[in-house]
Amino acid sequence: MQMITVLRLGHRPERDKRITTHVALVARCFGASSMILTTRDDALCGRIRKVAENFGGDFTVSYVHDWRKLLRDFQGLKIHLTMYGERFTDAANRMDLQTDMMVVVGSEKVPPELYEMSDFNIAIGNQPHSEVSALALFLDRVTHGKWEAADTGGKLKIVPAARGKTVLGRR
Ligand code: SAM
């Protein structure tokens, strides 16, 4: 089974609390199996664990001190999402979309060497937006939208409804 890991570079616990949480939620929801932070943040790990308890799945969040070594040693495709990168469609034609991937997203400016360490520097459009949207669009394309049919188990299940809210299970 393909494993997709998201490496979140440069998370600043106070400043990026919300956006890194959203990166994790997007990663979990759209098919990644884990997210790795380069700054320790136990509170964030706890928040994501709570979501996983309620909505299921095996998604994990962890922390690595030496992200360069992690990336260097990774056996799979190393993909850096950046607005300066090449067109996603062009890169996707040269990528094995079934293989394990480490997908790197930044917060502030990323270290220049990341461009060299990555197998692909991919732009989800060459305009600035956000790591959250870039990751969501990337995962949707790579997984061919499989997330929509995924059943992650968990204590809670939202029943699709045209109006109103139907939630099965108990908190
Ligand atoms: N100002 C930073 C820089 O110059 O690198 C970028 C900050 S941006 C808010 C944070 C992250 O969002 C980037 O590191 C990148 O991973 C992602 N991102 C933003 N726009 C993107 C795009 N058009 N394509 C791919 N990734 C993008």
Side-chain angles (χ1 to χ4, degrees), residues 21-86:
T21 302
H22 288 187
V23 170
L25 292 175
V26 158
R28 178 192 164 275
C29 187
F30 298 127
S33 38
S34 60
M35 180 176 83
I36 301 176
L37 296 172
T38 55
T39 316
R40 192 171 165 156
D41 189 338
D42 293 338
L44 187 138
C45 293
R47 281 198 294 280
I48 300 304
R49 206 176 308 118
K50 191 85 202 142
V51 173
E53 268 169 38
N54 284 330
F55 289 96
D58 302 323
F59 187 81
T60 57
V61 180
S62 58
Y63 156 76
V64 69
H65 177 63
D66 190 349
W67 65 266
R68 289 173 178 85
K69 177 167 165 40
L70 177 83
L71 202 57
R72 228 182 292 118
D73 294 349
F74 180 71
Q75 304 287 313
L77 276 185
K78 303 161 196 181
I79 294 159
H80 169 213
L81 297 183
T82 165
M83 67 174 173
Y84 303 102
E86 64 176 315

Side-chain angles (χ1 to χ4, degrees), residues 101-114:
M101 295 180 183
M102 185 164 296
V103 186
V104 188
V105 294
S107 45
E108 275 190 312
K109 202 166 184 284
V110 298
E113 73 214 80
L114 178 62

Side-chain angles (χ1 to χ4, degrees), residues 157-171:
K157 188 175 290 298
I158 296 174
V159 181
R163 287 197 180 77
K165 300 178 188 174
T166 310
V167 183
L168 303 179
R170 286 156 52 133
R171 277 174 201 271

Side-chain angles (χ1 to χ4, degrees), residues 7-9 19 80-86 104-110 114-115 122-135:
L7 174 61
R8 165 64 156 160
L9 283 192
I19 199 140
H80 169 213
L81 297 183
T82 165
M83 67 174 173
Y84 303 102
E86 64 176 315
V104 188
V105 294
S107 45
E108 275 190 312
K109 202 166 184 284
V110 298
L114 178 62
Y115 290 83
I122 292 179
I124 311 296
N126 295 103
Q127 299 191 25
H129 45 92
S130 141
E131 48 276 52
V132 177
S133 47
L135 183 63

